[in-house]
Amino acid sequence: MTMGLPALEFSDCYLDSPQFRDRIKSHEAELEKTNKFIKDLIKDGKALIQAMKNLSTAKRKFAESLNEFKFQCIGDAETDDEICIARSLQEFAGVLKNLEDERGRLIENAGKVLISPLERFRKEQIGAAKEAKKKYDKETEKYCSVLEKHLNLSSKKKDSHLQEADSQVDVVRQHFYEVSLEYVFRVHEVQERKMFEFVEPLLAFLQGLFTFYHHGYELAKDFGHFKTQLQISIQNTRDRFEGTRSEVESLMKKMKENPQEHQSISPYAMEGYLFVQKKSPFGSSWVKHYCTYQKEAKKVTMVPFDQKTGGKIGDEEMFTLKSCIRRKTDSIEKRFCFDVEGVDRTSMITMQALSEEDRRLWIEAMDGREPVYNLNKDNPISEGTAQLDKVGFDLVKKCIRAVEERGINEQGLYRIAGVNSRVQKLLGLLMGAADVDLETSTEWEIKTITSTLKHYLRVLPAPLMTFQLQHNFIKAAKLDHPESRLSEIHKYVHRLPEKNRAMLEITIKHLAKVSNNHKQNLMTVANLGVVFGPTLLRPQEETVAAIMDIKFQNIIVEILIENHETIFQMEPETGTIQPNLSLNSAQKKSFECKPPLCSQRPLMLFPANSNENEKQNNITNSSAESVFIPTVNASSNSKTYQQSVQSLGPCDTEAPAVKLIRPNSLLNPKRKPSLTSTQCRKARALYACKAEHDSELSFSAGTMFENVHSSREPGWLEGTLDGKTGLIPENYVEFL
């Protein structure tokens, strides 16, 4: 056990023994040690405060950078998810700035509550003790000198002289005792004061730190709602990216294989790079121009442009075309040349194309021949021509009646595809007006019937909602306010041709019935939007911009399903539009105010690996599309998930089997290895989950599970919580 300092008795001041002096020295050494420690602490405290200032400055600069950056999304409109993500940087900056404001108050108070009290204690208390020591040492030396002189006086001196000397020594001795007593008192006082005057500033500084950290904790709590919304928006955007990526890559491959057939529809009859001959007194030169030709107005535009630097190298020229003449090979040294004459120009312009084929196209366009026109052709149907006629209406009605009678509750309805050969066979029978019993006969599986219906709608000469109104519908879906979206879509639905609108009404009313049974078939409004968005609407030309708009096609279908009674039963000019406010507000509240429940979080159907496929194929002969089933029913302002829905062609083979698992939407990107039934491990919940069935466990984020192992249910684990064993979503936990 560590021994403390010995007490200094006032009575020892009169004896002034060696032991007393040793005890004083031990106190003096302790004071010197304390003085040095406080000096170093003040130095370190100032360095800490400066470091905090530097950190705060750096964080504020970081927050400013975040606040200044603006996301630019592809396309002319943003989804609600993209708006949320774009706003996130400003939200981050606001949180950081708020936190640094609190840190600034901590730094400002640190000098008052920490540095100043320590400096004051060191100066006033320890400094005063040092001054008392100097005085004590001085009086000690004086007393000893006087005493030695006094003792050396001769006894033969007069009595009066000796008495006077004795009196002087008594005065010096008394003063020495007084100084000694004051010094001992001062030393004791400093030793006692340091217990509170030294520690109290440190406590105050720590309290400031705790206040700062608590403020950060409160900020984190307030930020929690936006964080949850942002995580969902990020996952939605990631899902749409995965869906559109394959479409964009497919388009890129088509462009590589045959660029002429996939050119964009342009307002110009011809456009591209040409080398234009520039003549001068010193000779001629060839300058690269980007040229366009507008057939109706016969306007030719030339812009000198350097592709290497990416900039214009001159002013734009425009003239009206009078004639275009091909240059003979022997009339000019350059290849692929032709002459162009302008109405308002006095001389011919000689141009060089990039190839013989390029020259032919330019000459054909300028001579008024049939321009190159790229049309988006639909997939042919081998069983007959799909039309909106009586046969087509009967086909759709038969399929719908069969689905509603036999399979309205079948999971993955319209998501899981039928075997291609069976679909083609059924389609051929129905297109041939054959008497096929779909409602009672079990010969045709529900997935075959749903795939036949979808395939018929896909191979119509034009989409059900027409090429002409495609842009109008997409533009309506991009409006900011849900009521405006509904109003515009309502208006354009009633501009559809009568047969198109009638077929659309039949289809949408059926999909509304399907969505009403989403608890059984898992096909929410959002899921149906993913399936039927690219089916009911499709662009006339296949471009990256069109693929980016698929998410808005899905939103249009969602709005049609949720508001089908308003849209199809009321005229837009006279009807009062009443959107499905109860559904929208409930979803909005759920989305903005709290994280989704387990049942509201998305389920995925992913293709299993090759080994799993073999096992699955032993169980089922059905084929399926690779699909993603998003979260709860989406409203007109809901977040729409994007997935590439592959059209069923005559050469399609059976798709791989699927397995149902929970997504890794808000979780760590690293997937944990699957466990066998004999492996048990501890795990921690990453997110909260509310049980929907007795077999599931309810838990909050951070909950610890025991004996976690695989279960018979795909995508689920089995574990123990508070003595209760139940199912846990596989991707909601991480193993320890």
Side-chain angles (χ1 to χ4, degrees):
M1 183 175 178
T2 304
M3 296 296 293
L5 292 171
L8 297 177
E9 298 292 344
F10 289 119
S11 59
D12 290 339
C13 294
Y14 294 93
L15 294 176
D16 198 15
S17 64
Q19 292 79 9
F20 172 71
R21 289 286 180 165
D22 289 338
R23 287 194 291 271
I24 285 182
K25 285 183 179 180
S26 64
H27 280 265
E28 290 172 348
E30 175 61 23
L31 286 178
E32 185 60 33
K33 178 182 175 182
T34 302
N35 181 56
K36 185 177 183 304
F37 176 71
I38 294 177
K39 183 179 179 181
D40 293 339
L41 191 63
I42 292 172
K43 179 181 177 182
D44 293 340
K46 290 180 177 179
L48 173 61
I49 293 172
Q50 186 59 46
M52 292 170 66
K53 288 181 180 179
N54 295 339
L55 175 62
S56 182
T57 301
K59 282 195 172 183
R60 288 182 186 276
K61 182 66 174 67
F62 180 70
E64 289 175 6
S65 300
L66 289 178
N67 193 50
E68 291 171 0
F69 184 79
K70 306 293 182 185
F71 277 105
Q72 294 295 330
C73 297
I74 299 175
D76 57 355
E78 297 176 339
T79 64
D80 294 335
D81 292 321
E82 290 168 340
I83 292 172
C84 177
I85 292 174
R87 185 166 60 94
S88 64
L89 296 188
Q90 283 68 47
E91 291 287 339
F92 296 159
V95 170
L96 290 175
K97 184 179 181 301
N98 193 319
L99 192 61
E100 293 314 306
D101 289 342
E102 183 64 25
R103 192 196 302 273
R105 287 187 284 272
L106 169 64
I107 294 171
E108 183 180 354
N109 292 331
K112 299 177 182 178
V113 302
L114 177 65
I115 304 301
S116 296
L118 290 179
E119 288 180 336
R120 187 166 55 251
F121 176 76
R122 181 170 172 265
K123 179 179 180 181
E124 295 179 0
Q125 300 301 322
I126 299 180
K130 286 186 174 183
E131 290 297 323
K133 173 179 168 48
K134 291 179 181 179
K135 186 176 181 182
Y136 174 67
D137 291 341
K138 183 178 179 181
E139 289 299 323
T140 299
E141 183 179 357
K142 179 180 178 181
Y143 170 64
C144 292
S145 299
V146 170
L147 185 60
E148 288 176 3
K149 289 181 180 180
H150 179 66
L151 295 177
N152 288 329
L153 287 176
S154 174
S155 59
K156 296 178 180 181
K157 294 280 187 181
K158 293 180 180 180
D159 291 340
S160 59
H161 184 73
L162 292 175
Q163 287 176 359
E164 184 181 354
D166 290 341
S167 298
Q168 290 178 352
V169 170
D170 289 340
V171 171
V172 173
R173 181 186 294 113
Q174 186 61 36
H175 189 258
F176 167 70
Y177 290 155
E178 290 176 359
V179 171
S180 179
L181 289 169
E182 290 176 0
Y183 179 51
V184 169
F185 173 77
R186 177 62 66 181
V187 169
H188 263 290
E189 184 182 33
V190 174
Q191 295 289 14
E192 292 299 319
R193 276 181 177 273
K194 75 177 182 181
M195 300 299 290
F196 54 89
E197 290 196 3
F198 168 44
V199 176
E200 193 173 35
L202 296 175
L203 177 61
F205 178 69
L206 284 178
Q207 184 60 42
L209 281 177
F210 295 152
T211 302
F212 169 72
Y213 291 134
H214 181 73
H215 182 75
Y217 170 74
E218 292 295 329
L219 273 180
K221 284 175 59 179
D222 295 340
F223 189 70
H225 297 313
F226 178 76
K227 183 185 74 171
T228 300
Q229 178 182 352
L230 179 60
Q231 287 173 321
I232 295 174
S233 296
I234 289 172
Q235 182 59 30
N236 292 351
T237 306
R238 178 182 287 112
D239 293 334
R240 284 194 290 268
F241 164 75
E242 293 297 335
T244 57
R245 184 174 181 273
S246 59
E247 293 285 338
V248 175
E249 188 175 8
S250 174
L251 177 59
M252 179 189 68
K253 291 179 180 178
K254 291 178 183 177
M255 292 293 292
K256 286 182 178 179
E257 293 170 359
N258 198 339
Q260 293 298 330
E261 288 189 6
H262 293 85
Q263 289 181 352
S264 300
I265 295 177
S266 171
Y268 303 108
M270 190 65 188
E271 60 181 317
Y273 283 101
L274 293 171
F275 285 87
V276 179
Q277 187 180 37
K278 298 290 184 180
K279 296 180 180 179
S280 68
F282 305 100
S284 63
S285 61
W286 295 83
V287 180
K288 197 173 190 178
H289 287 66
Y290 190 82
C291 303
T292 60
Y293 175 63
Q294 200 168 19
K295 178 178 177 298
E296 293 79 6
K298 290 193 173 184
K299 291 291 184 182
V300 179
T301 304
M302 304 189 305
V303 179
F305 190 83
D306 186 0
Q307 287 176 280
K308 296 178 182 178
T309 61
K312 294 182 180 180
I313 54 176
D315 297 329
E316 177 182 301
E317 296 181 57
M318 181 181 294
F319 61 90
T320 302
L321 178 69
K322 182 178 181 181
S323 65
C324 173
I325 304 171
R326 177 181 173 181
R327 287 290 291 265
K328 295 181 180 180
T329 306
D330 56 0
S331 67
I332 192 169
E333 294 182 358
K334 296 281 187 177
R335 303 169 65 197
F336 319 132
C337 293
F338 59 96
D339 291 334
V340 173
E341 184 180 6
V343 173
D344 49 356
R345 299 180 73 96
T346 57
S347 60
M348 298 285 284
I349 302 174
T350 302
M351 297 181 172
Q352 182 186 24
L354 304 183
S355 64
E356 184 62 41
E357 176 66 14
D358 191 39
R359 177 172 67 173
R360 182 184 67 80
L361 294 174
W362 276 103
I363 292 175
E364 285 183 0
M366 290 183 170
D367 283 345
R369 298 178 184 178
E370 185 69 16
V372 178
Y373 184 73
N374 179 37
L375 183 63
N376 182 20
K377 299 178 181 179
D378 294 307
N379 293 329
I381 176 172
S382 59
E383 307 297 338
T385 304
Q387 296 290 339
L388 286 176
D389 52 13
K390 184 178 184 302
V391 173
F393 275 86
D394 289 343
L395 182 153
V396 172
K397 290 177 180 178
K398 279 186 178 182
C399 292
I400 288 175
R401 282 197 299 269
V403 172
E404 292 180 356
E405 288 290 330
R406 295 171 46 203
I408 195 72
N409 292 328
E410 189 164 313
Q411 289 191 1
L413 194 64
Y414 287 106
R415 269 297 192 181
I416 300 176
V419 179
N420 180 52
S421 58
R422 297 283 293 168
V423 172
Q424 292 293 330
K425 182 178 179 180
L426 178 58
L427 187 60
L429 292 173
L430 294 175
M431 292 291 290
D435 186 12
V436 183
D437 182 10
L438 298 180
E439 296 181 45
T440 59
S441 174
T442 58
E443 177 185 358
W444 302 100
E445 293 181 288
I446 292 298
K447 63 182 180 181
T448 303
I449 298 173
T450 56
S451 295
T452 301
L453 173 59
K454 288 189 297 180
H455 193 49
Y456 164 77
L457 295 174
R458 288 175 186 152
V459 297
L460 289 171
L464 207 54
M465 300 177 76
T466 72
F467 289 131
Q468 291 78 11
L469 292 177
Q470 165 85 10
H471 176 71
N472 300 83
F473 280 114
I474 294 295
K475 186 177 179 181
K478 293 178 178 179
L479 295 174
D480 292 334
H481 301 292
E483 293 78 7
S484 302
R485 299 177 196 172
L486 174 58
S487 176
E488 288 297 296
I489 290 174
H490 189 183
K491 177 177 69 177
Y492 290 120
V493 164
H494 284 264
R495 292 187 183 180
L496 290 171
E498 184 177 350
K499 288 185 177 180
N500 292 62
R501 187 169 69 251
M503 180 66 81
L504 182 64
E505 181 177 2
I506 293 171
T507 305
I508 294 299
K509 285 184 176 180
H510 167 63
L511 296 182
K513 293 180 181 179
V514 173
S515 68
N516 290 337
N517 293 271
H518 69 274
K519 290 186 178 179
Q520 292 77 32
N521 58 36
L522 304 182
M523 294 304 294
T524 63
V525 174
N527 300 341
L528 293 170
V530 171
V531 175
F532 281 89
T535 300
L536 300 180
L537 299 104
R538 65 178 183 272
Q540 190 167 7
E541 66 170 322
E542 193 176 7
T543 64
V544 174
I547 294 173
M548 293 297 108
D549 281 340
I550 290 178
K551 54 196 174 188
F552 295 105
Q553 295 174 186
N554 303 346
I555 292 176
I556 294 167
V557 175
E558 293 173 26
I559 294 173
L560 290 175
I561 294 173
E562 291 174 338
N563 303 278
H564 65 279
E565 294 182 356
T566 298
I567 290 174
F568 292 106
Q569 295 179 10
M570 300 173 63
E571 291 292 332
E573 292 81 9
T574 58
T576 302
I577 298 174
Q578 294 292 339
N580 195 347
L581 294 178
S582 61
L583 178 61
N584 293 347
S585 61
Q587 291 169 341
K588 184 176 180 182
K589 180 179 179 182
S590 173
F591 181 78
E592 293 181 351
C593 299
K594 61 181 181 180
L597 303 178
C598 287
S599 62
Q600 296 172 315
R601 292 186 179 173
L603 290 173
M604 285 185 176
L605 287 171
F606 287 112
N609 58 38
S610 58
N611 294 334
E612 291 172 337
N613 285 341
E614 294 176 5
K615 297 176 182 178
Q616 285 291 103
N617 290 335
N618 293 333
I619 300 173
T620 176
N621 293 325
S622 64
S623 64
E625 293 170 294
S626 174
V627 300
F628 170 68
I629 300 181
T631 65
V632 293
N633 290 356
S635 62
S636 57
N637 66 338
S638 65
K639 311 299 177 280
T640 306
Y641 291 77
Q642 158 64 31
Q643 174 65 28
S644 169
V645 181
Q646 301 172 350
S647 61
L648 192 61
C651 299
D652 291 343
T653 58
E654 290 191 13
V658 299
K659 72 174 184 177
L660 188 65
I661 63 174
R662 288 284 181 184
N664 58 349
S665 45
L666 303 179
L667 310 181
N668 293 336
K670 297 181 180 178
R671 295 293 305 276
K672 302 298 183 293
S674 59
L675 299 174
T676 66
S677 58
T678 59
Q679 291 178 309
C680 295
R681 294 172 61 181
K682 290 184 178 181
R684 177 173 58 238
L686 293 171
Y687 295 91
C689 179
K690 182 179 180 182
E692 295 292 321
H693 304 285
D694 293 338
S695 60
E696 300 177 17
L697 293 176
S698 293
F699 51 85
S700 58
T703 300
M704 304 297 294
F705 301 98
E706 300 287 342
N707 301 324
V708 179
H709 57 274
S710 62
S711 72
R712 295 182 180 179
E713 297 292 333
W716 294 81
L717 299 172
E718 191 169 294
T720 303
L721 174 61
D722 296 333
K724 180 182 177 182
T725 300
L727 295 176
I728 309 165
E730 180 180 20
N731 288 334
Y732 280 53
V733 299
E734 63 177 357
F735 294 116
L736 303 178

